[in-house]
Amino acid sequence: MQVKRIHEYKRQLLNVLHVIHLYNCIKKGDADRVPRCVLIGGKAAPGYRMAKKTIKLINNVAQVINSDPEVGDKLTLLFLPDYRVSAMEKICPGADLSEQISTAGKEASGTGNMKLMMNGAITIGTLDGANIEIREEVGDENFFLFGLTEEQIEARRAHYDPLEMIDQDEDLQRVMHLLESGYFNQFEPGIFDDLINSIKSPHDPWMTIADFRSFVDAQKRVEDAYRDKDHWTKMSILNCANSGKFSTDRTIGEYNRDIWKLEPQPVKGE
């Protein structure tokens, strides 16, 4: 589950790259996969062209995967239109995995990850925003960490070379080949060129390619953990049990202590 505003730094595009990787694995005959339904939801700002292109890509990839008889029920990709609070009330309790995969150092906070945690979803994420606090609360063994840290990203910017990374990773080569060959846009040539060029650029501020391998490896750990139902259930319960820090009681109490400095007032009875 990845439900949030569509933005390049939140990297819904990285999620799609992983789904295409899973699709490749199934097409190659790798039957040892945990069946998945990947749901992505969110809205794009009216003038945000790249965000809208990302939504278009998600839907195109979904159409190909979901209609492929070789895939069957092994993999499904869905885009939830008109994402809103009432939709979250339904899908949040049903999520197994909370995908919080923004580029480290770019997310101010975010609250969707807290809501999913409170409902028992286990987080796969970078060290960014509230993910850091979630991991502190649940422990590293109940959180799927991946990706470069903020410091590592800044250190790599001057010599970031996504083309070299693609050249050194066969799985990523296969994913990029499908994208660049028009496999998901046979009747719309060039429609995704901007997205492809952005992630291949050495100036990509979100460094999507840099975290691809780490994300794939972390998702494999997710699959391995999910096979043990008792262990996964324990992880889920511990996420619920350790979510108290993110309650409004604690938040408002800290606001009052640090900012408002108001005196508590007794509740007057009738």
Side-chain angles (χ1 to χ4, degrees):
M1 188 82 68
Q2 187 182 18
V3 285
K4 54 182 75 247
R5 184 165 47 91
I6 308 296
H7 199 296
E8 289 167 280
Y9 85 84
K10 293 179 182 291
R11 296 198 297 192
Q12 285 88 356
L13 192 51
L14 178 60
N15 203 348
V16 177
L17 295 181
H18 177 249
V19 171
I20 297 173
H21 164 69
L22 293 178
Y23 177 63
N24 267 328
C25 292
I26 295 169
K27 295 290 281 185
K28 286 191 305 176
D30 183 1
D32 189 29
R33 314 296 311 195
V34 172
R36 284 187 185 235
C37 174
V38 180
L39 190 150
I40 303 174
K43 295 179 180 178
Y48 197 166
R49 185 172 56 87
M50 293 294 275
K52 291 186 173 184
K53 291 271 189 180
T54 301
I55 294 175
K56 173 64 174 169
L57 177 63
I58 296 167
N59 281 280
N60 276 37
V61 172
Q63 185 175 12
V64 171
I65 292 176
N66 299 345
S67 60
D68 191 327
E70 290 185 40
V71 175
D73 60 358
K74 298 183 185 74
L75 178 65
T76 303
L77 174 62
L78 301 172
F79 180 78
L80 179 71
D82 197 22
Y83 171 67
R84 58 203 185 279
V85 172
S86 57
M88 184 61 159
E89 289 173 347
K90 294 181 174 65
I91 62 179
C92 185
D96 288 311
L97 186 69
S98 168
E99 299 192 288
Q100 308 297 329
I101 59 178
S102 56
T103 308
K106 296 299 182 181
E107 182 68 79
S109 176
T111 58
N113 51 3
M114 303 174 193
K115 296 166 189 170
L116 285 158
M117 174 198 188
M118 289 177 177
N119 281 271
I122 300 160
T123 304
I124 181 171
T126 54
L127 283 179
D128 194 36
N131 289 352
I132 298 170
E133 294 173 278
I134 288 175
R135 183 167 172 260
E136 288 173 352
E137 294 302 304
V138 302
D140 187 40
E141 67 278 10
N142 298 305
F143 184 105
F144 296 104
L145 179 66
F146 81 96
L148 299 174
T149 65
E150 183 177 356
E151 293 75 20
Q152 289 170 333
I153 285 174
E154 292 306 316
R156 185 172 293 195
R157 284 200 188 281
H159 52 88
Y160 178 52
D161 189 350
L163 295 181
E164 182 182 11
M165 294 178 184
I166 294 171
D167 187 56
Q168 295 175 352
D169 191 323
E170 290 186 5
D171 290 332
L172 185 52
Q173 287 176 31
R174 294 187 185 98
V175 170
M176 295 306 297
H177 173 71
L178 287 183
L179 282 174
E180 293 176 311
S181 67
Y183 188 85
F184 300 108
N185 55 298
Q186 295 182 30
F187 305 106
E188 302 166 294
I191 192 172
F192 298 128
D193 286 356
D194 287 347
L195 290 177
I196 294 168
N197 292 336
S198 71
I199 62 175
K200 291 174 65 177
S201 169
H203 307 295
D204 174 21
W206 325 116
M207 292 198 177
T208 301
I209 293 297
D211 277 348
F212 173 82
R213 174 46 53 190
S214 179
F215 188 48
V216 168
D217 292 344
Q219 289 280 12
K220 184 60 172 65
R221 298 198 304 272
V222 169
E223 283 198 4
D224 293 341
Y226 194 77
R227 294 179 198 277
D228 186 340
K229 296 300 183 184
D230 289 341
H231 177 61
W232 186 275
T233 301
K234 180 180 178 181
M235 293 171 71
S236 175
I237 292 170
L238 287 171
N239 268 266
C240 289
N242 287 287
S243 65
K245 179 178 180 180
F246 306 108
S247 71
T248 52
D249 287 346
R250 195 274 306 175
T251 304
I252 293 172
E254 284 192 4
Y255 279 5
N256 189 51
R257 184 194 68 201
D258 300 334
I259 302 170
W260 303 327
K261 305 186 187 304
L262 302 173
E263 292 295 325
Q265 297 298 310
V267 177
K268 297 180 179 178
E270 292 184 10

